[in-house]
Amino acid sequence: MSAEESSFVRTYAVTGGRSQPRHPLALETTLEAGRGRSGPDQVEECRQIIALCRERQRTVAELAGRLGRPVTAVKVLLSDLLDADALVLPVTAPYSSSDDGKDPQLLTAVVVGLRKKFQNATAYPQAG
């Protein structure tokens, strides 16, 4: 097996074969460590993400670069950690970070919170 194939297989295993994150995370979305913890069944990359976010807030792009994994795979792991409250989306300056009044970080935090609260509901549409 070539190095490229090995990396692909490892990425597939890390995400459990999932290719779509549950939460809409942009490359510039910042995250910080939360009060929860990664579960014992989560991969080493999850522990690395939490450790990095404990040092300081990190963006999705930075975490993907530090882990050396594709952004989509990292977003899947980040979604898992958000669901476990091991990571949170800090909202430091709501309503003022963009000229048009639409703060993507705030909107992402709201979506994540609603999905956690209504995780068993099927009435809301999935992000695509």
Side-chain angles (χ1 to χ4, degrees):
M1 183 181 302
S2 72
E4 184 177 321
E5 290 172 329
S6 175
S7 177
F8 176 78
V9 170
R10 173 67 180 143
T11 299
Y12 182 87
V14 163
T15 63
R18 296 172 291 149
S19 62
Q20 294 295 318
R22 284 182 300 284
H23 303 294
L25 300 168
L27 291 175
E28 67 276 5
T29 300
T30 57
L31 300 117
E32 66 184 27
R35 293 184 176 162
R37 300 182 335 178
S38 64
D41 59 334
Q42 288 186 319
V43 295
E44 175 60 28
E45 283 84 351
C46 288
R47 287 183 279 284
Q48 291 173 352
I49 289 168
I50 293 170
L52 288 167
C53 289
R54 279 193 184 123
E55 293 173 4
R56 65 177 177 81
Q57 293 179 359
R58 308 277 181 164
T59 65
V60 172
E62 181 182 3
L63 290 167
R66 294 290 219 107
L67 295 174
R69 295 274 169 228
V71 173
T72 302
V74 172
K75 285 181 179 183
V76 169
L77 298 177
L78 294 174
S79 287
D80 292 346
L81 293 171
L82 285 166
D83 289 343
D85 290 326
L87 293 178
V88 295
L89 295 162
V91 181
T92 56
Y95 312 113
S96 63
S97 69
S98 66
D99 294 336
D100 62 4
K102 297 176 185 168
D103 181 359
Q105 184 81 12
L106 175 63
L107 295 174
T108 301
V110 169
V111 169
V112 169
L114 288 172
R115 287 199 174 149
K116 278 188 206 175
K117 183 169 179 68
F118 300 107
Q119 62 188 348
N120 295 326
T122 58
Y124 63 88
Q126 296 295 318

